[in-house]
Amino acid sequence: MAIFIDKKTKLVVQGITGRDGAFHAEQMKKYGTDVVAGVTPGKGSSKVAGIPVYNSVEEAVAATGANTSVIYVPPTFAADAIYEAIDAGIKLVVCITEGVPVNDMLKTVEYVKAKGARLIGPNCPGLISPELAKVGILPSTIVKKGSVGVVSRSGTLTYEAIWALTLADMGQTTCIGIGGDPIIGTNFIDCLAAFEADPNTKSIVMIGEIGGSDEETAATFIKEHVTKPVVAFIAGQTAPADKRMGHAGAIVSGGAGTAKGKIDALNAVGIPVAGSPTEIPELLKERIKRFSTRSTRPTAKTVVTRIATPARPAKAAAPKRKPAGKHK
Amino acid sequence: MKVHEYQAKQVFAKAGIPIPPGDVATTPHEAVEIARKMNRPVMIKAQVHVGGRGKAGGVQYAENAEAAQVLATKIIGMDIKGLKVKKVLVTAAEEILSESYVGIIVDRAQQRPVIMVSAAGGVDIEEVAAKTPQKIHKLWVDPILGLRAYQARNLAAKLYRDPGQMRQAADIIMKLYDVFWKADATLAEINPLVTTPGGKVIALDAKLNIDDNSLYRQPEIAAMRDLDAEVPEEVKAREADLSYVKLDGNIGCVVNGAGLAMATMDLVKRYGGEPANFLDIGGSSNPQKVVSALEIILSDPNVKAILFNIFGGITRLDDVANGIVAAFAQLKPSVPVVIRLTGTNEKEATKILAGMKLPTARTLDEAVKTAIEMAKAEA
């Protein structure tokens, strides 16, 4: 078992004739993912790495029964590609594209929710369930099958953490990068709920970074709903305020979204935060040991199925952000 | 991307939001000309991309053109939080009866734009928000439907009792949301929104931040970018398609990926060093990017050691190694460098770099510690 993708995944690659699309379609196929189709408008009936190409997602789904899509189209066309996949009945869409306008995502995310589908990304490396399937761009050489679930907002930092786990002989069920943008389809909570529900996942690593309040929300969620050992890492402790640190989402503004605030929130609910990515395996081992020797395990109020459907948080949980005012 | 107040006001005025008359000046002489033409008391407002300019003395009242001359001379060239003032907005000084706040941002948690209004606007709005949050009224807008007129009316009713002023405010809120959406803004703000003795509601200040990802479809706003108001190295980095933020330390960092770049900086600090920068060379393997990255870092005189930390996933390490060879041949750096390359095509990269005899490190922690020692030896 794994989360979101496994042997039942039948993948369609949107933008398969592009440079990135073609390269990664082949990589995913080589890894053993069931890549059933590619889509590029106007290039139907050609082939890429032996994968049949269709003019639309609708055609591809009708011909192959694809149930998952991965998007490698340029940012200008990314929102449209997501709509197309959703309208063709795809229930899991992974958008790798970086640089998608926030306004486009605001509408798209609303639409995806209304249709009861799941979007991962944009601006993410995708996900990999070792020995089962890979959707996205994560290097398959660094993963190993096992029982750790990894969820992260970043790309190469995730690789660093996964590599450290693999070197410590701690394999993974699924490694997922949810993306570094302000508006993304799947957040930490969605992934934590899925890992909690997955019987093969025995422990969880969560990698966050500055900006937004997703890590703080996740801390509360873990306290209430996650019974498995969790350790975290937060990047951006040295980042100055009001500067965008590469990821559109990684910006500390108006005192909100600092690394310290996130680390404090996690520590407050008993989640250890590693000082370096290389310390994650040791910390997780200790944590697992403590959980297995503990007489009373925390009782989770299991509402996992409710959380798994993307629901809008209640208004009471409204943003703590202050108006970004005062500039006279 | 941030635009200046005078530019935001141009955008607002175009959308029909009432603003006081005024113009921008780059010299005291121009400022006086503008003040003379207006023939009334004016405000001289520094145009810099930093908050707190009023408290720093960058916003001043001038009774007449002579006073404007004195004040403009003082403000132009002034240093506000490390940024030199190169432009001032000369704008009509208005008599004010009340100050309100209207702001729109993207609420990440709710995944919707949120409009915030308060009758307690002005310079202390952050304090109002912190101490009396009940004085801030919020409305989350369905991005697919947009803002309804009745919603704007209800928000305006939180600001004014007078029906005429309420109507004006509702109209301004509708137009501000329109600007926010059409300009792909991440922030559109009027603070303060004021009433004049004549009963008019006008935007005395304007703030507009635009989503960098949307600049390709906002040519008019993209053209407003003021390169003079930015850190030169950051401008150069953007042109080279690199993500760079200058910091105050002495260890230059070249990393691929924003998260890993931040984590690398954090480790430098953790082991007792100070990072000189954030620099993400991105996912591409273009060797030219490595050359540009090294060039930018070497232009910072504080840098005493340079750390390369590249995790090859999609990025191929042999490409990065070729970039390093080219960069060293071209730039001949005099500061020590430590290199840590892990992942895709690591063996090929090691072969390429073998002839250069550069210090290398196996792990991230080891690389960081080496860089710190190097910097200490240099200092």
Side-chain angles (χ1 to χ4, degrees):
Chain A
M1 285 285 285
I3 69 165
F4 303 145
I5 58 165
D6 51 31
K7 279 288 170 204
K8 284 174 278 185
T9 298
K10 295 176 87 168
L11 187 68
V12 51
V13 180
Q14 291 177 257
I16 194 169
T17 53
R19 190 176 159 273
D20 291 338
F23 177 77
H24 292 294
E26 192 172 358
Q27 295 291 313
M28 291 185 286
K29 193 179 169 187
K30 269 189 194 160
Y31 192 67
T33 313
D34 192 8
V35 185
V36 294
V39 169
T40 296
K43 301 223 171 137
S45 69
S46 59
K47 280 197 172 188
V48 170
I51 304 157
V53 181
Y54 299 87
N55 287 315
S56 71
V57 181
E58 194 183 0
E59 271 180 34
V61 170
T64 65
N67 57 19
T68 302
S69 153
V70 62
I71 295 172
Y72 293 99
V73 306
T76 325
F77 310 112
D80 189 61
I82 297 168
Y83 289 126
E84 186 185 352
I86 300 291
D87 287 344
I90 300 275
K91 290 296 174 200
L92 176 63
V93 180
V94 181
C95 184
I96 306 302
T97 309
E98 180 181 354
V100 185
V102 172
N103 275 2
D104 287 2
M105 287 317 301
L106 282 170
K107 281 191 177 181
T108 311
V109 162
E110 199 78 21
Y111 189 73
V112 172
K113 278 180 198 162
K115 294 283 176 175
R118 173 175 300 288
L119 168 69
I120 296 173
N123 190 15
C124 77
L127 63 167
I128 184 165
S129 298
E131 295 181 22
L132 297 175
K134 157 173 151 163
V135 175
I137 61 175
L138 281 130
S140 54
T141 46
I142 60 169
V143 299
K144 173 184 162 71
K145 193 178 173 126
S147 63
V148 185
V150 180
V151 56
S152 169
R153 257 166 78 182
S154 92
T156 46
L157 174 58
T158 320
Y159 307 165
E160 188 86 45
I162 297 171
W163 184 230
L165 286 168
T166 297
L167 286 177
D169 205 25
M170 300 179 85
Q172 308 90 35
T173 47
T174 301
C175 304
I176 173 167
I178 58 176
D181 279 2
I183 303 295
I184 50 175
T186 295
N187 58 28
F188 279 129
I189 291 183
D190 300 321
C191 299
L192 291 166
F195 280 133
E196 175 68 15
D198 172 35
N200 283 17
T201 301
K202 306 291 183 204
S203 62
I204 303 166
V205 173
M206 179 176 115
I207 297 158
E209 61 187 36
I210 51 164
S213 57
D214 246 24
E215 290 80 3
E216 288 88 334
T217 315
T220 310
F221 180 83
I222 293 167
K223 186 181 177 220
E224 290 172 1
H225 306 298
V226 178
T227 57
K228 299 174 181 179
V230 181
V231 302
F233 179 78
I234 303 290
Q237 297 181 51
T238 42
D242 287 325
K243 287 278 188 183
R244 172 176 155 162
M245 306 302 274
H247 287 160
I251 176 165
V252 175
S253 45
T258 64
K260 188 179 180 304
K262 291 171 191 299
I263 293 169
D264 288 349
L266 290 161
N267 284 338
V269 298
I271 301 160
V273 179
S276 157
T278 49
E279 288 173 8
I280 292 171
E282 267 316 301
L283 207 56
L284 187 59
K285 272 182 196 162
E286 276 170 35
R287 193 79 185 144
I288 292 167
K289 211 171 154 192
R290 267 191 61 187
F291 266 60
S292 60
T293 54
R294 199 158 66 184
S295 52
T296 49
R297 292 174 66 88
T299 48
K301 302 161 204 156
T302 310
V303 289
V304 165
T305 45
R306 181 175 70 77
I307 300 297
T309 57
R312 180 172 300 288
K315 279 227 168 133
K320 291 158 211 136
R321 197 189 186 293
K322 291 179 290 185
K326 197 153 97 173
H327 46 83
K328 280 195 89 178
Chain B
M1 179 188 126
K2 291 177 179 175
V3 302
H4 288 301
E5 174 195 359
Y6 79 91
Q7 296 168 319
K9 279 184 170 165
Q10 288 168 1
V11 176
F12 285 14
K14 217 172 156 188
I17 296 171
I19 57 160
D23 207 349
V24 68
T26 51
T27 64
H29 179 71
E30 283 175 16
V32 172
E33 284 305 304
I34 297 164
R36 195 162 282 148
K37 257 186 230 156
M38 290 209 288
N39 195 27
R40 59 188 283 188
V42 294
M43 298 300 294
I44 313 279
K45 305 176 84 176
Q47 302 294 293
V48 279
H49 291 317
V50 64
R53 60 185 173 153
K55 285 178 181 162
V59 178
Q60 305 266 2
Y61 172 81
E63 185 71 41
N64 49 40
E66 287 68 40
Q69 165 111 43
V70 174
L71 292 169
T73 309
K74 206 175 104 190
I75 295 174
I76 295 171
M78 177 188 267
D79 185 283
I80 299 181
K81 294 184 183 169
L83 290 174
K84 212 177 193 85
V85 178
K86 293 188 175 155
K87 288 176 183 167
V88 290
L89 173 63
V90 182
T91 182
E94 301 282 347
E95 205 178 320
I96 297 167
L97 294 187
S98 76
E99 290 186 300
S100 300
Y101 172 89
V102 180
I104 309 174
I105 57 162
V106 172
D107 181 342
R108 298 168 53 141
Q110 300 279 337
Q111 304 197 310
R112 289 187 164 191
V114 58
I115 305 180
M116 296 172 291
V117 303
S118 177
V123 288
D124 295 323
I125 187 68
E126 285 187 20
E127 210 182 313
V128 171
K131 289 189 180 156
T132 48
Q134 71 277 10
K135 287 189 181 168
I136 311 271
H137 304 276
K138 293 177 179 176
L139 175 83
W140 285 266
V141 182
D142 182 325
I144 293 177
L145 287 175
L147 181 66
R148 317 273 92 192
Y150 85 87
Q151 294 175 315
R153 283 199 303 274
N154 290 352
L155 286 170
K158 305 282 188 197
L159 303 180
Y160 300 106
R161 290 222 180 88
D162 175 79
Q165 290 174 353
M166 226 186 273
R167 263 196 304 277
Q168 292 178 62
D171 185 54
I172 289 170
I173 292 169
M174 285 298 282
K175 284 170 175 162
L176 188 66
Y177 185 80
D178 200 49
V179 166
F180 175 84
W181 193 261
K182 287 190 180 148
D184 280 306
T186 52
L187 166 76
E189 187 182 73
I190 301 171
N191 186 33
L193 181 72
V194 302
T195 46
T196 65
K200 282 239 160 64
V201 178
I202 55 174
L204 214 57
D205 198 359
K207 199 170 183 181
L208 190 63
N209 293 353
I210 307 297
D211 174 15
D212 289 345
N213 288 348
S214 304
L215 288 175
Y216 75 89
R217 62 186 183 196
Q218 300 290 349
E220 277 181 38
I221 290 171
M224 289 179 177
R225 193 187 280 283
D226 182 3
L227 297 178
D228 267 358
E230 297 182 31
V231 181
E233 290 92 340
E234 291 177 15
V235 174
K236 197 170 183 312
R238 192 173 54 242
E239 280 162 3
D241 202 16
L242 300 166
S243 194
Y244 172 87
V245 177
K246 192 180 176 330
L247 301 169
D248 297 330
N250 59 8
I251 295 172
C253 305
V254 183
V255 189
N256 67 327
L260 189 58
M262 284 191 281
T264 306
M265 285 159 46
D266 293 350
L267 276 189
V268 169
K269 183 104 180 170
R270 184 164 186 249
Y271 291 125
E274 287 290 339
N277 63 276
F278 164 94
L279 195 153
D280 170 14
I281 62 164
S284 123
S285 299
N286 184 352
Q288 185 51 43
K289 278 197 176 183
V290 182
V291 180
S292 305
L294 196 62
E295 200 173 348
I296 288 162
I297 287 183
L298 287 171
S299 70
D300 178 353
N302 294 339
V303 170
K304 297 282 179 267
I306 298 172
L307 160 61
F308 278 83
N309 180 29
I310 311 290
F311 203 111
I314 302 324
T315 305
R316 290 171 41 182
L317 296 179
D318 49 338
D319 286 338
V320 175
N322 282 325
I324 293 174
V325 171
F328 270 70
Q330 206 177 314
L331 304 165
K332 301 182 177 61
S334 56
V335 293
V337 176
V338 57
I339 294 174
R340 187 255 181 165
L341 305 176
T342 295
T344 311
N345 293 4
E346 188 177 330
K347 274 185 194 155
E348 290 84 343
T350 311
K351 263 183 216 156
I352 293 166
L353 292 177
M356 297 179 70
K357 299 202 167 46
L358 287 168
T360 56
R362 290 285 308 154
T363 68
L364 170 56
D365 298 67
E366 189 188 322
V368 168
K369 285 175 187 166
T370 308
I372 292 171
E373 279 161 26
M374 285 172 163
K376 273 188 188 146
E378 286 287 307

